[in-house]
Amino acid sequence: MKLIRFQCNNKIFYGVLESEKIHRIDGDVFGEYTVTEECVNLNDVKVLAPCQPTKVVAVGLNYSAHAAEMKDEVPDFPALFLKPETAVIGPDETIVYPAMSNQVDYEAELAVVIKKEAHNVPKEQVWDYILGYTCLNDVTARDLQRIDSQWMRAKSFDTFAPLGPVIETEFDPSSAEIKSYLNGELRQHSNTEHFIFPVEELVSVISQIMTLRAGDVITTGTPSGIGSMKRGDVIEIEIQGIGTLRNTVG
């Protein structure tokens, strides 16, 4: 099932996307809800980021090929950092190129959306705490990342966490193709089967460090092929079984 968050007549709703139709949801997608018979056309609404996380917990170097292109060792423990909630934007919104950077990169990633509060969750119970999965672009000011001893500034600018377009609740994160396209040209192409740390391990480990809230996002690292964007570029993140997240750089 594809959950979608949208704005219609100045009100915000959740719905279930079926083809080009959205069936409005009554209730809380992170709790109890029903799918109503009320229906709107996808083209008649504004699609929003599919959740409003209190934090985005990001994982670096989760594909060995990406670690190699960054000239880093494959980590023994997930390399973690945070992106703030103010970095989140939705589909077709603009990634703002910050004035203090001269190199802004795209990073295609599979993102996990947490369903309920999670703390010290064993790996075998992780699936009970996941609502579904979506696409994320871990936008990075690469020149600033090289300068700083940690990644906060490079990863945390407003608009640096495009998210969407839907939350797919029926998805196998162990084997799905992931791609990025810059101005229609394929730049990244891999499969989540190449994860160093699988989803269940990431969620369990992170929940041992910090409490995860409903709607929080864990993003699982990018494959090789990262590169730079410039103002006016269109960047698309495509994940098999979820859809395509499209944003413009401005």
Side-chain angles (χ1 to χ4, degrees):
M1 182 168 60
K2 288 180 166 59
L3 300 173
I4 189 167
R5 182 169 164 265
F6 64 98
Q7 183 175 332
C8 182
N9 297 325
N10 296 317
K11 295 182 179 180
I12 294 175
F13 304 95
Y14 269 99
V16 174
L17 179 64
E18 295 180 355
S19 185
E20 299 298 306
K21 299 286 188 180
I22 301 173
H23 297 267
R24 188 179 65 80
I25 280 174
D26 186 14
D28 180 7
V29 296
F30 299 98
E32 298 294 327
Y33 66 88
T34 57
V35 181
T36 72
E37 296 183 1
E38 183 181 335
C39 191
V40 294
N41 292 317
L42 178 63
N43 292 333
D44 293 336
V45 305
K46 179 182 179 180
V47 179
L48 305 174
C51 57
Q52 295 177 290
T54 68
K55 54 189 171 292
V56 176
V57 187
V59 178
L61 307 175
N62 201 28
Y63 293 79
S64 56
H66 176 56
E69 75 175 343
M70 297 299 289
K71 298 180 173 57
D72 284 314
E73 298 292 331
V74 173
D76 296 323
F77 187 88
L80 304 177
F81 58 94
L82 292 174
K83 295 174 85 84
E85 60 180 312
T86 51
V88 174
I89 57 173
D92 297 313
E93 293 192 70
T94 300
I95 299 167
V96 177
Y97 206 115
M100 68 177 68
S101 176
N102 293 310
Q103 184 184 350
V104 173
D105 287 6
Y106 56 83
E107 295 189 9
E109 306 202 8
L110 173 70
V112 182
V113 180
I114 298 300
K115 181 179 182 179
K116 58 185 178 180
E117 185 171 299
H119 180 65
N120 286 332
V121 179
K123 283 195 293 186
E124 60 272 16
Q125 296 178 18
V126 156
W127 312 112
D128 295 333
Y129 292 82
I130 295 175
L131 178 64
Y133 303 82
T134 190
C135 307
L136 184 139
N137 187 350
D138 178 18
V139 182
T140 304
R142 193 71 64 196
D143 53 342
L144 304 183
Q145 185 183 27
R146 295 190 193 100
I147 294 169
D148 297 343
S149 60
Q150 43 70 37
W151 298 354
M152 188 191 76
R153 178 166 62 139
K155 299 283 191 175
S156 297
F157 287 97
D158 289 354
T159 75
F160 268 30
L163 191 66
V166 299
I167 300 170
E168 175 55 71
T169 62
E170 299 170 5
F171 180 82
D172 180 3
S174 67
S175 181
E177 288 194 351
I178 179 168
K179 301 176 183 179
S180 67
Y181 294 86
L182 186 66
N183 299 323
E185 180 182 339
L186 180 65
R187 293 299 183 90
Q188 292 177 281
H189 186 188
S190 189
N191 193 293
T192 58
E193 66 187 10
H194 300 304
F195 280 163
I196 297 168
F197 304 102
V199 164
E200 62 269 29
E201 183 171 355
L202 292 176
V203 175
S204 178
V205 164
I206 292 167
S207 77
Q208 295 169 46
I209 300 168
M210 66 190 79
T211 299
L212 298 165
R213 307 291 190 193
D216 280 353
V217 168
I218 295 173
T219 186
T220 56
T222 193
S224 61
I226 61 172
S228 299
M229 304 179 290
K230 62 181 184 299
R231 293 174 180 86
D233 282 349
V234 176
I235 180 68
E236 296 171 292
I237 311 302
E238 178 185 301
I239 299 179
Q240 177 187 12
I242 296 176
T244 300
L245 169 66
R246 181 181 297 104
N247 297 92
T248 300
V249 183

